[in-house]
Amino acid sequence: MPNNSAFVFTAQQGHKFLLSTSTARERIAKLRRLRSTIESYEQRLYEALKKDLRKNEFEAAVSEVIFIYGEINHAIRHLTGWMKPRRAGKAITNIFAKNRIYYQPKGVCLIISPWNYPFQLLMSPLVSAIAAGNCVILKPSELSPATSTVMASLIEDCFDQQEVCCFEGGAEVASELLQLPFDHIFFTGSTAIGKIVMEAAAKSLASVTLELGGKSPVVIHTSADLKKTAEKIAWGKLINAGQTCIAPDYVLIPEHMMEIFAGHYISAAEALFCSGSAAPDLDVYAKIINERHFKRLCELITDATAKGAELVYGGLAQAETLTISPAILLNPSLDSALMQEEIFGPLLPVVPYKNLTEAVALINAKSKPLALYIFSKDAAVTKQIIRDTSSGGICVNDVLVHISNPKLPFGGVGTSGMGSCHGHYGFKAFSHERSVVFQSGPNLTRLIYPPYRTKQWVLKLLKKLF
Ligand code: NAD
């Protein structure tokens, strides 16, 4: 067990200067050590993920562990280049100077993560923070306790606590950590807690990356292939039982296509997660994280149906196994909680639209989502939706897969987040971009030194030049 947080924080504050001078080779060695430690923990991680979320081992491997191997390998491959000072162009004011951007670690960073992909969402920012040369304190979620305990032990095995240290616990531990003057805070979680984190960061003016949530819409255009579209949406919605930050939250579809889409969605849900029947296959279908969220989702169905939504399929709740079968609800009232809150569960509301303008207006009436999905074979329509809406990211003719490319920035906008992560973007999130000007040549700046009386011609010249 690590010592208390203030003690570790002070030790890391002392150590950060040494780390800031670390070479690419040293950081790469650390990333390799992290990878091999993870490899030795793989089986324990799968068992923990099964315990916390009933994640199937294959799914856990792809979406949590191998995802992190990808991040580590990408960082190892590119770190030497990322760390090199970058050339910047000259301005007329320093034409004889060399202009460079240096990447300096932020210092001591705090990473707070949620429970839905508990391994991926703690480790991915950790990889970036190590690559950027920081000391790190980690706070995983208390709602996935088995995985958090395995991760704490993995971190203890891999790092000295003055470099990386993990504190398990809930809001009280997070609040205690947030009292400390970190150099950067990387938070993944809900928008509501994101606001608390940002407020706490303001006290020491720590920079923040906020990876938050929201309602990620899907727009289906008349040109889309409904069968293929439904299969992709069913996978994206039902993997981890809908508890994915970029899961398609609700579908907007032309009125006349709604029933056909529902049919395809039901078939796809049964084929993918129910072994061809209506009852979920508990070997591949995750559980709802806890009773509170289970009840919340049941209430979303009750409230939506009371307000007129047609529950045409699923939504069967089994309390003993914390399982809610894949549900599809047509025509929900826009005032129902189902259409107001982030669902974070296997319930798919389908909202009909008359024309594209109406669909875009529905999206823009809500907070900016983390992801937006467009299914369309019409390039002009796709272009129009991209132009007329805002979201953290967009995926056209697929769902979720944009998160898997470390060459793309991943992050939200507005209430869905601030800043971005993965690959080079993660490295930059944990680095300070420091401008360095190496001055040389004649001192042209003397032209603007006092006395000003004789320098009217300089003003005239500058006005012409700028
Ligand atoms: P949450 O905000 O409840 O908790 C996240 C973390 O914050 C946990 O570690 C928790 O212990 C901590 N926390 C709780 N109370 C706190 C407080 N008062 N002060 C500081 N920290 C506190 O979120 P969650 O329920 O764990 O996760 C679900 C949310 O996370 C959803 O909204 C989802 O969309 C979002 N999410 C976003 C991403 C992303 O990459 N953008 C990824 C996964 C989940």
Side-chain angles (χ1 to χ4, degrees), residues 135-178:
C135 296
V136 189
I137 288 183
L138 301 160
K139 210 301 280 169
S141 172
E142 71 282 18
L143 300 189
S144 45
T147 315
S148 296
T149 300
V150 175
M151 293 192 296
S153 156
L154 185 160
I155 294 299
E156 208 176 335
D157 273 3
C158 192
F159 298 101
D160 192 292
Q161 67 177 20
Q162 65 181 350
E163 209 163 300
V164 184
C165 187
C166 182
F167 287 92
E168 288 177 79
E172 65 304 335
V173 174
S175 305
E176 197 181 304
L177 288 168
L178 285 172

mmCIF file of all heavy atoms in Angstrom, residues 135-178:
data_model
loop_
_atom_site.group_PDB
_atom_site.id
_atom_site.type_symbol
_atom_site.label_atom_id
_atom_site.label_comp_id
_atom_site.label_asym_id
_atom_site.label_seq_id
_atom_site.Cartn_x
_atom_site.Cartn_y
_atom_site.Cartn_z
ATOM 1 N N CYS A 135 5.699 12.564 -13.402
ATOM 2 C CA CYS A 135 5.348 11.736 -12.248
ATOM 3 C C CYS A 135 3.819 11.680 -12.229
ATOM 4 O O CYS A 135 3.155 12.657 -12.613
ATOM 5 C CB CYS A 135 5.808 12.387 -10.956
ATOM 6 S SG CYS A 135 7.588 12.540 -10.828
ATOM 7 N N VAL A 136 3.264 10.567 -11.759
ATOM 8 C CA VAL A 136 1.810 10.407 -11.865
ATOM 9 C C VAL A 136 1.193 9.799 -10.609
ATOM 10 O O VAL A 136 1.727 8.833 -10.056
ATOM 11 C CB VAL A 136 1.448 9.474 -13.058
ATOM 12 C CG1 VAL A 136 -0.051 9.473 -13.305
ATOM 13 C CG2 VAL A 136 2.183 9.865 -14.327
ATOM 14 N N ILE A 137 0.078 10.362 -10.204
ATOM 15 C CA ILE A 137 -0.757 9.730 -9.180
ATOM 16 C C ILE A 137 -2.049 9.295 -9.880
ATOM 17 O O ILE A 137 -2.654 10.072 -10.631
ATOM 18 C CB ILE A 137 -1.032 10.671 -7.996
ATOM 19 C CG1 ILE A 137 0.267 10.831 -7.187
ATOM 20 C CG2 ILE A 137 -2.154 10.136 -7.105
ATOM 21 C CD1 ILE A 137 0.171 11.676 -5.938
ATOM 22 N N LEU A 138 -2.419 8.040 -9.650
ATOM 23 C CA LEU A 138 -3.587 7.466 -10.312
ATOM 24 C C LEU A 138 -4.703 7.244 -9.301
ATOM 25 O O LEU A 138 -4.440 6.813 -8.179
ATOM 26 C CB LEU A 138 -3.230 6.112 -10.923
ATOM 27 C CG LEU A 138 -2.101 6.085 -11.961
ATOM 28 C CD1 LEU A 138 -1.543 4.672 -12.098
ATOM 29 C CD2 LEU A 138 -2.601 6.579 -13.298
ATOM 30 N N LYS A 139 -5.941 7.509 -9.746
ATOM 31 C CA LYS A 139 -7.101 7.203 -8.887
ATOM 32 C C LYS A 139 -8.159 6.503 -9.745
ATOM 33 O O LYS A 139 -8.964 7.152 -10.422
ATOM 34 C CB LYS A 139 -7.644 8.506 -8.283
ATOM 35 C CG LYS A 139 -8.295 8.375 -6.911
ATOM 36 C CD LYS A 139 -9.467 7.432 -6.853
ATOM 37 C CE LYS A 139 -10.740 8.040 -7.357
ATOM 38 N NZ LYS A 139 -11.827 7.038 -7.535
ATOM 39 N N PRO A 140 -8.135 5.149 -9.732
ATOM 40 C CA PRO A 140 -9.158 4.426 -10.510
ATOM 41 C C PRO A 140 -10.508 4.469 -9.806
ATOM 42 O O PRO A 140 -10.622 4.966 -8.678
ATOM 43 C CB PRO A 140 -8.606 3.002 -10.549
ATOM 44 C CG PRO A 140 -7.732 2.876 -9.347
ATOM 45 C CD PRO A 140 -7.220 4.254 -9.016
ATOM 46 N N SER A 141 -11.528 3.929 -10.470
ATOM 47 C CA SER A 141 -12.886 4.016 -9.918
ATOM 48 C C SER A 141 -13.129 2.976 -8.826
ATOM 49 O O SER A 141 -12.682 1.840 -8.915
ATOM 50 C CB SER A 141 -13.908 3.830 -11.034
ATOM 51 O OG SER A 141 -15.199 3.739 -10.481
ATOM 52 N N GLU A 142 -13.896 3.393 -7.849
ATOM 53 C CA GLU A 142 -14.291 2.495 -6.748
ATOM 54 C C GLU A 142 -15.397 1.541 -7.203
ATOM 55 O O GLU A 142 -15.692 0.563 -6.531
ATOM 56 C CB GLU A 142 -14.746 3.312 -5.531
ATOM 57 C CG GLU A 142 -16.090 4.042 -5.660
ATOM 58 C CD GLU A 142 -16.045 5.332 -6.486
ATOM 59 O OE1 GLU A 142 -15.086 5.545 -7.252
ATOM 60 O OE2 GLU A 142 -17.001 6.119 -6.354
ATOM 61 N N LEU A 143 -16.036 1.841 -8.353
ATOM 62 C CA LEU A 143 -17.155 0.998 -8.798
ATOM 63 C C LEU A 143 -16.704 -0.245 -9.562
ATOM 64 O O LEU A 143 -17.509 -1.114 -9.857
ATOM 65 C CB LEU A 143 -18.141 1.818 -9.650
ATOM 66 C CG LEU A 143 -18.795 3.015 -8.966
ATOM 67 C CD1 LEU A 143 -19.904 3.606 -9.826
ATOM 68 C CD2 LEU A 143 -19.348 2.650 -7.593
ATOM 69 N N SER A 144 -15.426 -0.301 -9.887
ATOM 70 C CA SER A 144 -14.863 -1.518 -10.492
ATOM 71 C C SER A 144 -13.718 -1.973 -9.587
ATOM 72 O O SER A 144 -12.548 -1.947 -9.986
ATOM 73 C CB SER A 144 -14.375 -1.238 -11.915
ATOM 74 O OG SER A 144 -13.634 -0.031 -11.937
ATOM 75 N N PRO A 145 -14.054 -2.372 -8.343
ATOM 76 C CA PRO A 145 -13.014 -2.560 -7.322
ATOM 77 C C PRO A 145 -12.031 -3.689 -7.620
ATOM 78 O O PRO A 145 -10.839 -3.576 -7.288
ATOM 79 C CB PRO A 145 -13.815 -2.867 -6.044
ATOM 80 C CG PRO A 145 -15.155 -3.320 -6.509
ATOM 81 C CD PRO A 145 -15.409 -2.646 -7.821
ATOM 82 N N ALA A 146 -12.500 -4.775 -8.258
ATOM 83 C CA ALA A 146 -11.586 -5.893 -8.516
ATOM 84 C C ALA A 146 -10.483 -5.445 -9.475
ATOM 85 O O ALA A 146 -9.291 -5.672 -9.226
ATOM 86 C CB ALA A 146 -12.369 -7.078 -9.098
ATOM 87 N N THR A 147 -10.873 -4.758 -10.546
ATOM 88 C CA THR A 147 -9.884 -4.286 -11.521
ATOM 89 C C THR A 147 -8.974 -3.230 -10.886
ATOM 90 O O THR A 147 -7.761 -3.230 -11.115
ATOM 91 C CB THR A 147 -10.583 -3.707 -12.781
ATOM 92 O OG1 THR A 147 -11.622 -4.603 -13.164
ATOM 93 C CG2 THR A 147 -9.624 -3.535 -13.931
ATOM 94 N N SER A 148 -9.554 -2.350 -10.082
ATOM 95 C CA SER A 148 -8.738 -1.306 -9.437
ATOM 96 C C SER A 148 -7.660 -1.930 -8.559
ATOM 97 O O SER A 148 -6.512 -1.473 -8.556
ATOM 98 C CB SER A 148 -9.619 -0.385 -8.587
ATOM 99 O OG SER A 148 -10.525 0.300 -9.418
ATOM 100 N N THR A 149 -8.019 -2.981 -7.821
ATOM 101 C CA THR A 149 -7.036 -3.614 -6.930
ATOM 102 C C THR A 149 -5.917 -4.269 -7.738
ATOM 103 O O THR A 149 -4.733 -4.130 -7.401
ATOM 104 C CB THR A 149 -7.748 -4.658 -6.031
ATOM 105 O OG1 THR A 149 -8.739 -3.952 -5.286
ATOM 106 C CG2 THR A 149 -6.791 -5.338 -5.079
ATOM 107 N N VAL A 150 -6.281 -4.948 -8.837
ATOM 108 C CA VAL A 150 -5.246 -5.574 -9.677
ATOM 109 C C VAL A 150 -4.340 -4.489 -10.271
ATOM 110 O O VAL A 150 -3.114 -4.629 -10.306
ATOM 111 C CB VAL A 150 -5.885 -6.442 -10.795
ATOM 112 C CG1 VAL A 150 -4.822 -6.984 -11.738
ATOM 113 C CG2 VAL A 150 -6.681 -7.597 -10.194
ATOM 114 N N MET A 151 -4.942 -3.379 -10.714
ATOM 115 C CA MET A 151 -4.140 -2.308 -11.324
ATOM 116 C C MET A 151 -3.217 -1.668 -10.294
ATOM 117 O O MET A 151 -2.064 -1.352 -10.600
ATOM 118 C CB MET A 151 -5.054 -1.251 -11.947
ATOM 119 C CG MET A 151 -5.831 -1.768 -13.150
ATOM 120 S SD MET A 151 -6.644 -0.471 -14.104
ATOM 121 C CE MET A 151 -7.809 0.187 -12.922
ATOM 122 N N ALA A 152 -3.702 -1.508 -9.057
ATOM 123 C CA ALA A 152 -2.860 -0.911 -8.014
ATOM 124 C C ALA A 152 -1.651 -1.798 -7.766
ATOM 125 O O ALA A 152 -0.516 -1.309 -7.612
ATOM 126 C CB ALA A 152 -3.680 -0.723 -6.738
ATOM 127 N N SER A 153 -1.875 -3.108 -7.763
ATOM 128 C CA SER A 153 -0.775 -4.033 -7.528
ATOM 129 C C SER A 153 0.193 -4.032 -8.721
ATOM 130 O O SER A 153 1.423 -4.054 -8.545
ATOM 131 C CB SER A 153 -1.398 -5.392 -7.221
ATOM 132 O OG SER A 153 -0.559 -6.413 -7.493
ATOM 133 N N LEU A 154 -0.359 -3.964 -9.919
ATOM 134 C CA LEU A 154 0.476 -3.897 -11.143
ATOM 135 C C LEU A 154 1.384 -2.652 -11.091
ATOM 136 O O LEU A 154 2.590 -2.722 -11.360
ATOM 137 C CB LEU A 154 -0.468 -3.835 -12.344
ATOM 138 C CG LEU A 154 0.040 -3.879 -13.780
ATOM 139 C CD1 LEU A 154 -1.103 -4.301 -14.710
ATOM 140 C CD2 LEU A 154 0.628 -2.600 -14.275
ATOM 141 N N ILE A 155 0.804 -1.541 -10.701
ATOM 142 C CA ILE A 155 1.571 -0.279 -10.653
ATOM 143 C C ILE A 155 2.660 -0.368 -9.593
ATOM 144 O O ILE A 155 3.797 0.056 -9.793
ATOM 145 C CB ILE A 155 0.611 0.921 -10.369
ATOM 146 C CG1 ILE A 155 -0.350 1.131 -11.545
ATOM 147 C CG2 ILE A 155 1.375 2.199 -10.047
ATOM 148 C CD1 ILE A 155 0.302 1.466 -12.874
ATOM 149 N N GLU A 156 2.316 -0.953 -8.459
ATOM 150 C CA GLU A 156 3.299 -1.082 -7.375
ATOM 151 C C GLU A 156 4.474 -1.969 -7.815
ATOM 152 O O GLU A 156 5.616 -1.706 -7.461
ATOM 153 C CB GLU A 156 2.595 -1.675 -6.143
ATOM 154 C CG GLU A 156 3.257 -1.233 -4.861
ATOM 155 C CD GLU A 156 2.512 -1.748 -3.635
ATOM 156 O OE1 GLU A 156 1.293 -2.006 -3.743
ATOM 157 O OE2 GLU A 156 3.162 -1.909 -2.587
ATOM 158 N N ASP A 157 4.156 -3.004 -8.602
ATOM 159 C CA ASP A 157 5.208 -3.904 -9.103
ATOM 160 C C ASP A 157 6.102 -3.228 -10.127
ATOM 161 O O ASP A 157 7.263 -3.580 -10.275
ATOM 162 C CB ASP A 157 4.574 -5.114 -9.811
ATOM 163 C CG ASP A 157 4.267 -6.230 -8.827
ATOM 164 O OD1 ASP A 157 4.505 -6.019 -7.627
ATOM 165 O OD2 ASP A 157 3.773 -7.280 -9.283
ATOM 166 N N CYS A 158 5.526 -2.289 -10.852
ATOM 167 C CA CYS A 158 6.227 -1.732 -12.018
ATOM 168 C C CYS A 158 6.987 -0.444 -11.696
ATOM 169 O O CYS A 158 8.007 -0.158 -12.306
ATOM 170 C CB CYS A 158 5.195 -1.473 -13.122
ATOM 171 S SG CYS A 158 5.898 -1.107 -14.712
ATOM 172 N N PHE A 159 6.489 0.334 -10.742
ATOM 173 C CA PHE A 159 7.064 1.671 -10.524
ATOM 174 C C PHE A 159 7.370 1.937 -9.054
ATOM 175 O O PHE A 159 6.676 1.447 -8.162
ATOM 176 C CB PHE A 159 6.077 2.764 -10.976
ATOM 177 C CG PHE A 159 5.743 2.718 -12.426
ATOM 178 C CD1 PHE A 159 4.549 2.163 -12.871
ATOM 179 C CD2 PHE A 159 6.622 3.231 -13.370
ATOM 180 C CE1 PHE A 159 4.229 2.122 -14.216
ATOM 181 C CE2 PHE A 159 6.311 3.198 -14.727
ATOM 182 C CZ PHE A 159 5.121 2.639 -15.146
ATOM 183 N N ASP A 160 8.348 2.799 -8.870
ATOM 184 C CA ASP A 160 8.594 3.342 -7.552
ATOM 185 C C ASP A 160 7.513 4.396 -7.293
ATOM 186 O O ASP A 160 7.131 5.110 -8.237
ATOM 187 C CB ASP A 160 9.979 3.998 -7.577
ATOM 188 C CG ASP A 160 10.451 4.343 -6.203
ATOM 189 O OD1 ASP A 160 9.842 5.249 -5.571
ATOM 190 O OD2 ASP A 160 11.404 3.712 -5.749
ATOM 191 N N GLN A 161 7.035 4.510 -6.065
ATOM 192 C CA GLN A 161 5.902 5.431 -5.845
ATOM 193 C C GLN A 161 6.260 6.912 -6.049
ATOM 194 O O GLN A 161 5.380 7.742 -6.249
ATOM 195 C CB GLN A 161 5.248 5.209 -4.485
ATOM 196 C CG GLN A 161 6.077 5.564 -3.286
ATOM 197 C CD GLN A 161 5.292 5.379 -1.986
ATOM 198 O OE1 GLN A 161 4.308 4.661 -1.944
ATOM 199 N NE2 GLN A 161 5.728 6.046 -0.933
ATOM 200 N N GLN A 162 7.551 7.227 -6.030
ATOM 201 C CA GLN A 162 7.899 8.627 -6.303
ATOM 202 C C GLN A 162 7.733 8.957 -7.809
ATOM 203 O O GLN A 162 7.831 10.117 -8.209
ATOM 204 C CB GLN A 162 9.302 8.960 -5.836
ATOM 205 C CG GLN A 162 10.398 8.234 -6.573
ATOM 206 C CD GLN A 162 11.776 8.603 -6.043
ATOM 207 O OE1 GLN A 162 11.919 9.527 -5.253
ATOM 208 N NE2 GLN A 162 12.795 7.877 -6.463
ATOM 209 N N GLU A 163 7.477 7.905 -8.592
ATOM 210 C CA GLU A 163 7.301 8.110 -10.029
ATOM 211 C C GLU A 163 5.829 7.914 -10.439
ATOM 212 O O GLU A 163 5.230 8.781 -11.052
ATOM 213 C CB GLU A 163 8.180 7.120 -10.753
ATOM 214 C CG GLU A 163 8.642 7.620 -12.083
ATOM 215 C CD GLU A 163 9.815 6.824 -12.572
ATOM 216 O OE1 GLU A 163 10.846 6.800 -11.877
ATOM 217 O OE2 GLU A 163 9.674 6.199 -13.638
ATOM 218 N N VAL A 164 5.277 6.751 -10.076
ATOM 219 C CA VAL A 164 3.854 6.490 -10.343
ATOM 220 C C VAL A 164 3.277 5.793 -9.120
ATOM 221 O O VAL A 164 3.871 4.845 -8.596
ATOM 222 C CB VAL A 164 3.637 5.569 -11.569
ATOM 223 C CG1 VAL A 164 2.144 5.413 -11.876
ATOM 224 C CG2 VAL A 164 4.357 6.089 -12.816
ATOM 225 N N CYS A 165 2.132 6.260 -8.682
ATOM 226 C CA CYS A 165 1.520 5.657 -7.498
ATOM 227 C C CYS A 165 0.000 5.636 -7.661
ATOM 228 O O CYS A 165 -0.573 6.568 -8.225
ATOM 229 C CB CYS A 165 1.918 6.498 -6.280
ATOM 230 S SG CYS A 165 1.394 5.772 -4.743
ATOM 231 N N CYS A 166 -0.609 4.562 -7.193
ATOM 232 C CA CYS A 166 -2.054 4.412 -7.389
ATOM 233 C C CYS A 166 -2.774 4.441 -6.038
ATOM 234 O O CYS A 166 -2.398 3.726 -5.115
ATOM 235 C CB CYS A 166 -2.293 3.075 -8.102
ATOM 236 S SG CYS A 166 -4.011 2.755 -8.482
ATOM 237 N N PHE A 167 -3.804 5.269 -5.939
ATOM 238 C CA PHE A 167 -4.626 5.327 -4.728
ATOM 239 C C PHE A 167 -6.026 4.834 -5.047
ATOM 240 O O PHE A 167 -6.717 5.429 -5.887
ATOM 241 C CB PHE A 167 -4.698 6.761 -4.184
ATOM 242 C CG PHE A 167 -3.423 7.202 -3.545
ATOM 243 C CD1 PHE A 167 -2.465 7.873 -4.289
ATOM 244 C CD2 PHE A 167 -3.158 6.911 -2.214
ATOM 245 C CE1 PHE A 167 -1.273 8.267 -3.713
ATOM 246 C CE2 PHE A 167 -1.959 7.302 -1.624
ATOM 247 C CZ PHE A 167 -1.015 7.978 -2.377
ATOM 248 N N GLU A 168 -6.423 3.766 -4.390
ATOM 249 C CA GLU A 168 -7.786 3.261 -4.598
ATOM 250 C C GLU A 168 -8.753 4.010 -3.685
ATOM 251 O O GLU A 168 -8.352 4.523 -2.639
ATOM 252 C CB GLU A 168 -7.836 1.772 -4.250
ATOM 253 C CG GLU A 168 -7.132 0.891 -5.252
ATOM 254 C CD GLU A 168 -7.177 -0.548 -4.791
ATOM 255 O OE1 GLU A 168 -8.228 -1.174 -4.975
ATOM 256 O OE2 GLU A 168 -6.168 -1.029 -4.240
ATOM 257 N N GLY A 169 -10.023 4.028 -4.074
ATOM 258 C CA GLY A 169 -11.038 4.653 -3.226
ATOM 259 C C GLY A 169 -12.021 5.445 -4.053
ATOM 260 O O GLY A 169 -11.895 5.515 -5.282
ATOM 261 N N GLY A 170 -12.970 6.061 -3.366
ATOM 262 C CA GLY A 170 -14.049 6.760 -4.057
ATOM 263 C C GLY A 170 -13.870 8.264 -4.046
ATOM 264 O O GLY A 170 -12.747 8.788 -4.061
ATOM 265 N N ALA A 171 -15.037 8.950 -3.977
ATOM 266 C CA ALA A 171 -15.042 10.407 -4.064
ATOM 267 C C ALA A 171 -14.175 11.047 -2.984
ATOM 268 O O ALA A 171 -13.513 12.063 -3.219
ATOM 269 C CB ALA A 171 -16.475 10.905 -3.939
ATOM 270 N N GLU A 172 -14.155 10.413 -1.778
ATOM 271 C CA GLU A 172 -13.402 11.029 -0.684
ATOM 272 C C GLU A 172 -11.906 11.044 -0.996
ATOM 273 O O GLU A 172 -11.216 12.040 -0.738
ATOM 274 C CB GLU A 172 -13.729 10.367 0.665
ATOM 275 C CG GLU A 172 -13.353 8.899 0.909
ATOM 276 C CD GLU A 172 -13.893 7.859 -0.091
ATOM 277 O OE1 GLU A 172 -14.921 8.098 -0.741
ATOM 278 O OE2 GLU A 172 -13.246 6.800 -0.212
ATOM 279 N N VAL A 173 -11.412 9.971 -1.602
ATOM 280 C CA VAL A 173 -9.986 9.911 -1.962
ATOM 281 C C VAL A 173 -9.705 10.912 -3.091
ATOM 282 O O VAL A 173 -8.717 11.660 -3.047
ATOM 283 C CB VAL A 173 -9.578 8.471 -2.395
ATOM 284 C CG1 VAL A 173 -8.154 8.434 -2.915
ATOM 285 C CG2 VAL A 173 -9.742 7.505 -1.237
ATOM 286 N N ALA A 174 -10.614 10.953 -4.069
ATOM 287 C CA ALA A 174 -10.438 11.891 -5.189
ATOM 288 C C ALA A 174 -10.438 13.330 -4.666
ATOM 289 O O ALA A 174 -9.594 14.148 -5.063
ATOM 290 C CB ALA A 174 -11.552 11.694 -6.212
ATOM 291 N N SER A 175 -11.350 13.633 -3.731
ATOM 292 C CA SER A 175 -11.433 14.999 -3.200
ATOM 293 C C SER A 175 -10.156 15.364 -2.460
ATOM 294 O O SER A 175 -9.664 16.495 -2.566
ATOM 295 C CB SER A 175 -12.610 15.149 -2.236
ATOM 296 O OG SER A 175 -13.776 14.748 -2.871
ATOM 297 N N GLU A 176 -9.622 14.400 -1.701
ATOM 298 C CA GLU A 176 -8.374 14.649 -0.961
ATOM 299 C C GLU A 176 -7.240 14.937 -1.944
ATOM 300 O O GLU A 176 -6.479 15.890 -1.765
ATOM 301 C CB GLU A 176 -8.064 13.394 -0.130
ATOM 302 C CG GLU A 176 -7.057 13.626 0.978
ATOM 303 C CD GLU A 176 -6.806 12.321 1.723
ATOM 304 O OE1 GLU A 176 -7.773 11.720 2.229
ATOM 305 O OE2 GLU A 176 -5.625 11.906 1.765
ATOM 306 N N LEU A 177 -7.172 14.133 -3.001
ATOM 307 C CA LEU A 177 -6.112 14.337 -3.999
ATOM 308 C C LEU A 177 -6.261 15.699 -4.682
ATOM 309 O O LEU A 177 -5.273 16.377 -4.967
ATOM 310 C CB LEU A 177 -6.151 13.216 -5.050
ATOM 311 C CG LEU A 177 -5.679 11.836 -4.580
ATOM 312 C CD1 LEU A 177 -6.043 10.754 -5.593
ATOM 313 C CD2 LEU A 177 -4.162 11.837 -4.338
ATOM 314 N N LEU A 178 -7.515 16.083 -4.903
ATOM 315 C CA LEU A 178 -7.743 17.346 -5.622
ATOM 316 C C LEU A 178 -7.358 18.586 -4.807
ATOM 317 O O LEU A 178 -7.317 19.696 -5.333
ATOM 318 C CB LEU A 178 -9.209 17.442 -6.068
ATOM 319 C CG LEU A 178 -9.585 16.568 -7.262
ATOM 320 C CD1 LEU A 178 -11.086 16.579 -7.503
ATOM 321 C CD2 LEU A 178 -8.854 17.006 -8.532
#
